[in-house]
Amino acid sequence: MKRERITISFLAEDADIIEHLQMIKTERTISSYIRHLIRQDMLGTPHINNLDKLAETIVNKLSNGTLQIPSIQEKPTEMSVSLEDKSLINQLF
């Protein structure tokens, strides 16, 4: 497959974005990072870039009652997981 090259320019006020990309470069390529973000955008999947944000999302779901965890005594015969929850789980792995 032929590679397609695209140039992205940043403005002076984008210093925070540039700093973030420099940090990302220590873990993976910027191209890989951008492809991943675009795929998430295409799938309508929200991006959670750190564990604190993920923990905050889970706490919000628990406090809003949108995510329920059965007690040890309960043995559900069938567990229903929303597409949003499945997406969050898949992002962890």
Side-chain angles (χ1 to χ4, degrees):
M1 174 183 236
K2 183 182 175 213
R3 293 173 113 184
E4 184 72 31
R5 290 191 165 272
I6 297 175
T7 302
I8 300 173
S9 300
F10 296 98
L11 303 174
E13 60 264 20
D14 294 330
D16 57 334
I17 296 172
I18 295 167
E19 183 180 331
H20 180 72
L21 288 174
Q22 293 298 333
M23 187 178 68
I24 292 297
K25 270 178 33 175
T26 64
E27 301 169 7
R28 64 198 287 190
T29 66
I30 292 175
S31 294
S32 168
Y33 176 69
I34 291 174
R35 285 192 309 269
H36 177 73
L37 290 176
I38 291 170
R39 281 192 182 98
Q40 284 185 326
D41 186 43
M42 289 168 46
L43 296 171
T45 309
H47 178 66
I48 298 177
N49 60 357
N50 63 41
L51 292 178
D52 290 335
K53 186 83 170 168
L54 178 60
E56 182 181 323
T57 301
I58 292 170
V59 167
N60 285 337
K61 285 186 169 290
L62 288 171
S63 65
N64 293 334
T66 57
L67 179 67
Q68 297 178 358
I69 300 174
S71 69
I72 295 173
Q73 291 81 22
E74 294 178 23
K75 294 195 177 194
T77 56
E78 181 178 66
M79 196 167 163
S80 176
V81 180
S82 72
L83 290 175
E84 182 181 25
D85 293 337
K86 286 179 186 178
S87 174
L88 285 172
I89 292 167
N90 286 334
Q91 287 179 15
L92 290 173
F93 302 98

